[in-house]
Amino acid sequence: MTPAAVARQHSDTFAANRARGRIELAVDCYAGITRRTRVHESGSLRVRFPRNGCSALEAMLVNTAGGMAGGDNFELGISVGERAQIIVTTAAAEKVYRTLGPDTKVDVKIDVAANATLCWLPQETILFDRSRLIRRIEVDLAPTARMILAEALVFGRSGMGEVIELGALFDQWRIRRANRLIHAEGISLDGAVSDKLSFRPIANGGLAIATVLLVPGDDAVVAAIRAVDHLRGELGASSWNGLAIVRFCAADGNALRHDLMQVLASLGTTPLPALWIA
């Protein structure tokens, strides 16, 4: 067998052993109670519902692969019907492990209908040294839909002395309301991640960051968030054009989790997922 044939065989074997996962979930409201109307699971992704018979349905995402590695590909599609309310979380912090080269890819697409509410509250994503994550989140909101979208990233397990010397992160969000783009953002880090996080304009040495996006959001929401005290990290909040955004930066994942819980609790709009406070 030629060297080229051996390389192709190695590549094919690697690809065949990568994790794939897909979830398609649709929910609707019946007599004031949100119920699932369609659930499709494939690969290593599962979704479970620890709270049933409530006005808001809690959907817990489970990755049976035990983490994500280079070459893995995961897709999530969620449809929230009129007046339905859903809280989406994860069973544990998601871990993105080192890769031999290929990227880890995650694609999330969500549609939220009129007078419906989406609370996207997964636990943290932990990036390991030499991991490479590409994540895209797209949300389409009806004019009267409501949303809380929270995502937290932790760079390494600082409690175990881990440092991300090298890695790559590309995180892209696109939020539309009534088919009009109302928010777009992206994070791109490549190469010496820890060195870049040490720069004051980026993270000032912090190893954990998060963003919470609220639609609708206004100055009153921002004022309530700014009034939260006893925070362990840094926080900034602002509002414009009917939405509000909160940025977090902390020394480690524990401090970030504390601050996220404090801010989300201050909103008083939805209970935190049970696994956040277990």
Side-chain angles (χ1 to χ4, degrees):
M1 186 177 293
T2 66
V6 171
R8 285 196 300 272
Q9 185 180 59
H10 180 271
S11 178
D12 291 344
T13 300
F14 179 85
N17 284 279
R18 299 323 317 142
R20 300 287 185 270
R22 182 177 180 83
I23 286 176
E24 293 287 343
L25 171 65
V27 300
D28 281 293
C29 182
Y30 299 95
I33 296 176
T34 300
R35 304 183 186 278
R36 54 194 185 272
T37 54
R38 180 174 183 269
V39 179
H40 170 79
E41 305 169 325
S42 66
S44 63
L45 287 186
R46 299 289 182 269
V47 58
R48 297 295 179 261
F49 306 91
R51 292 178 179 173
N52 286 297
C54 302
S55 57
L57 180 69
E58 184 172 318
M60 181 180 68
L61 305 176
V62 182
N63 178 13
T64 61
M68 301 179 179
D72 291 354
N73 197 322
F74 299 90
E75 299 178 2
L76 299 169
I78 298 175
S79 176
V80 188
E82 289 190 21
R83 299 182 305 280
Q85 302 176 52
I86 187 169
I87 303 168
V88 182
T89 189
T90 53
E94 189 60 83
K95 301 174 182 65
V96 183
Y97 298 112
R98 66 179 296 164
T99 174
L100 298 177
D103 299 319
T104 302
K105 296 182 179 179
V106 178
D107 289 287
V108 179
K109 294 186 178 180
I110 304 172
D111 289 290
V112 188
N115 301 310
T117 300
L118 164 75
C119 294
W120 179 265
L121 303 174
Q123 298 190 61
E124 305 88 344
T125 297
I126 302 174
L127 304 176
F128 281 57
D129 187 36
R130 289 171 171 77
S131 61
R132 299 184 61 87
L133 174 63
I134 297 176
R135 181 173 64 184
R136 294 181 174 87
I137 298 176
E138 297 184 13
V139 183
D140 288 297
L141 300 168
T144 55
R146 304 179 66 87
M147 178 186 74
I148 299 175
L149 180 68
E151 278 288 354
L153 292 165
V154 179
F155 296 89
R157 296 182 296 180
S158 58
M160 301 183 68
E162 294 177 349
V163 176
I164 297 186
E165 295 179 357
L166 296 172
L169 167 67
F170 179 75
D171 195 17
Q172 176 181 284
W173 295 13
R174 295 292 184 268
I175 313 300
R176 294 176 175 82
R177 192 167 197 175
N179 298 318
R180 182 175 65 87
L181 184 66
I182 62 170
H183 183 74
E185 69 170 76
I187 297 176
S188 181
L189 286 172
D190 199 355
V193 172
S194 290
D195 289 346
K196 294 178 180 179
L197 291 173
S198 68
F199 295 158
R200 187 171 183 178
I202 298 178
N204 197 28
L207 297 177
I209 60 175
T211 296
V212 176
L213 180 64
L214 301 108
V215 182
D218 54 24
D219 290 345
V221 171
V222 170
I225 291 170
R226 290 175 178 171
V228 176
D229 54 12
H230 304 299
L231 297 177
R232 299 176 182 174
E234 296 184 64
L235 177 151
S238 57
S239 64
W240 70 95
N241 294 338
L243 61 85
I245 196 163
V246 192
R247 307 286 190 184
F248 299 79
C249 184
D252 54 45
N254 286 334
L256 182 68
R257 168 72 72 97
H258 171 272
D259 291 355
L260 270 170
M261 292 179 65
Q262 292 288 100
V263 168
L264 291 171
S266 75
L267 299 175
T269 55
T270 187
L272 288 171
L275 287 171
W276 276 59
I277 55 180

